[in-house]
């Protein structure tokens, strides 16, 4: 059995050496795999939770769109577009503490139809759910449930007070108990320390997470996090490399904020451990064009293969 890395020793390494070790680990453990996924904001706004970074929270005055669960035709169109754009997975995301029971039958029908007519792998991010609902999602065709930790157990009360870190871990465990793979990560730049980021990484490792999305805060007007300063690029790259070394078998996928936070250094993240991206936008924020992201992924794979 592989021994966990000595975190203190890794923290002491210069950035270039740390990133070199992370890339070597990525290539040794995961080869040149590069995964693309896409999401749809299937139900937006008026969320009861007070996550301080989120424009969809009903606690804050923002310009986030508000609408009920989209109809099947709209979601099928988006799923087909995601597959055409090269995404291997398509995730249905809804706002709210958890999917409303009234929406569950429609959601199950949508999932079944995507699997039958589009043929893309289906993920779901529907908030805090129990085993009964999660089992129905799996039976309908969901293969992976997405539920971010967001930050460390220690820092979580500074980010959200309407539910707890343990609530999030319990949902992850419930999903795993019914046989679902779990995608879980968080957001860098919420005001947390490196110790907090490493604490979250260790929790993800303890939970056996095999897909880790890393978002970098986009400070959005109207939210309590709207005035936070940007996270230094070197700190972002260091954290990504540490996540790779702590989670050597997991897909480390960059999501919201990667373009604005890393800018010209985006490729550096993939030379330091990351090996996946979310394409096509992030709930209420647009991303780069899928064509640009596909070309970027091809270029990175070529660099890895040299």
């Amino acid at each position: 059995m592989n021994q966990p890395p000595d975190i203190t020793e890794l923290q002491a390494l210069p950035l270039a050496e740390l990133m070199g070790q992370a890339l070597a680990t990525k290539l040794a453990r995961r080869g040149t795999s590069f995964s693309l996924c896409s999401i749809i904001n299937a139900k937006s706004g008026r969320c009861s939770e007070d996550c301080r970074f989120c424009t969809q929270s009903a606690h804050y005055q923002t310009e986030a769109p508000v609408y009920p669960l989209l109809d099947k035709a709209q979601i099928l169109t988006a799923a087909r577009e995601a597959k055409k754009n090269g995404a291997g997975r398509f995730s249905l995301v809804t706002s709210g503490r958890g999917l409303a029971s009234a929406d569950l039958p429609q959601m199950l029908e949508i999932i079944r139809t995507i699997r039958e007519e589009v043929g893309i792998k289906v993920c779901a991010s529907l908030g805090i759910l129990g085993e009964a609902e999660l089992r129905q999602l799996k039976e309908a065709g969901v293969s992976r449930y997405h539920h971010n930790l967001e930050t460390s157990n220690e820092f979580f009360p500074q980010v959200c007070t309407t539910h707890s870190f343990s609530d999030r871990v319990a949902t992850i465990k419930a999903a795993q108990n019914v046989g679902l793979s779990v995608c879980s990560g968080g957001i860098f730049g919420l005001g947390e320390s490196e110790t907090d980021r490493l604490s979250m990484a260790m929790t993800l490792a303890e939970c056996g997470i095999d897909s880790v999305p890393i978002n970098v805060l986009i400070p959005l007007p109207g939210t309590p996090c709207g005035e936070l300063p940007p996270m230094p690029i070197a700190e972002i790259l260091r954290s990504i490399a540490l996540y790779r070394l702590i989670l050597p078998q997991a897909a480390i996928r960059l999501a919201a904020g990667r373009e604005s936070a890393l800018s010209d250094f985006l490729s550096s993240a993939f030379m330091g451990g990351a090996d996946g991206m979310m394409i096509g936008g992030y709930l209420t924020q647009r991303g780069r064009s899928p064509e640009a992201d596909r070309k970027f992924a091809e270029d990175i794979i070529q660099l890895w293969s040299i």
Side-chain angles (χ1 to χ4, degrees), residues 284-296:
T284 63
Q285 302 299 307
R286 295 183 64 84
R288 297 197 308 182
S289 72
E291 294 78 14
D293 279 339
R294 282 203 310 272
K295 178 62 167 59
F296 178 86

Side-chain angles (χ1 to χ4, degrees), residues 14-287:
L15 178 58
E17 187 175 345
L18 180 66
M19 290 175 62
Q21 286 196 24
L23 178 58
T25 298
K26 147 58 189 172
L27 295 176
R29 303 293 283 274
R30 292 179 50 80
T32 57
S33 63
F34 193 122
S35 58
L36 299 174
C37 64
S38 184
I39 65 174
I40 184 171
N41 192 10
K43 181 180 181 179
S44 181
R46 293 181 183 160
C47 180
S48 62
E49 307 307 284
D50 69 352
C51 303
R52 294 170 63 85
F53 54 83
C54 186
T55 60
Q56 296 194 65
S57 171
H59 294 257
Y60 316 126
Q61 295 295 317
T62 72
E63 297 182 358
V66 177
Y67 51 81
L69 185 62
L70 297 175
D71 64 37
K72 183 166 66 175
Q74 290 174 285
I75 294 175
L76 279 172
T77 296
R80 291 189 179 99
E81 186 71 12
K83 185 176 181 180
K84 185 181 78 172
N85 288 333
R89 290 181 174 273
F90 178 70
S91 185
L92 303 161
V93 185
T94 57
S95 67
R97 180 182 177 91
L99 183 69
S101 57
D103 287 335
L104 182 59
Q106 183 182 352
M107 181 62 73
L108 296 174
E109 174 60 22
I110 289 168
I111 292 163
R112 284 190 287 264
T113 306
I114 292 172
R115 290 296 297 139
E116 292 168 3
E117 297 187 11
V118 182
I120 193 171
K121 292 179 181 178
V122 180
C123 305
S125 181
L126 312 176
I128 296 171
L129 297 179
E131 288 190 19
E133 297 96 335
L134 290 162
R135 186 172 288 107
Q136 290 182 73
L137 292 170
K138 183 175 186 294
E139 291 170 351
V142 169
S143 59
R144 177 176 285 166
Y145 196 70
H146 171 260
H147 197 64
N148 278 347
L149 293 178
E150 306 301 10
T151 188
S152 69
N153 183 23
E154 298 80 6
F155 193 69
F156 193 85
Q158 305 300 315
V159 175
C160 179
T161 64
T162 48
H163 62 270
S164 68
F165 188 84
S166 60
D167 289 330
R168 289 188 171 263
V169 173
T171 298
I172 289 170
K173 294 297 185 184
Q176 291 172 329
N177 287 344
V178 304
L180 287 166
S181 168
V182 172
C183 177
S184 182
I187 304 174
F188 293 168
L190 295 170
E192 80 286 350
S193 65
E194 182 175 85
T195 299
D196 287 312
R197 291 190 289 276
L198 293 176
S199 175
M200 179 171 70
M202 295 304 295
T203 301
L204 294 169
E206 290 162 5
C207 289
I209 302 302
D210 54 17
S211 174
V212 179
I214 293 176
N215 304 272
V216 184
L217 179 69
I218 302 173
L220 296 171
T223 67
C225 290
E227 301 299 324
L228 287 177
M231 189 173 169
I233 288 173
E235 200 170 336
I236 297 170
L237 295 176
R238 177 173 289 277
S239 296
I240 290 169
L242 287 167
Y243 268 55
R244 167 53 63 209
L245 293 166
I246 294 169
L247 297 149
Q249 300 283 23
I252 306 289
R253 64 181 79 251
L254 301 191
R258 61 182 165 90
E259 301 95 342
S260 56
L262 288 169
S263 186
D264 293 340
F265 291 88
L266 179 59
S267 59
S268 297
F270 293 90
M271 300 308 287
D275 62 355
M277 290 192 305
M278 184 182 293
I279 62 172
Y282 322 102
L283 297 180
T284 63
Q285 302 299 307
R286 295 183 64 84

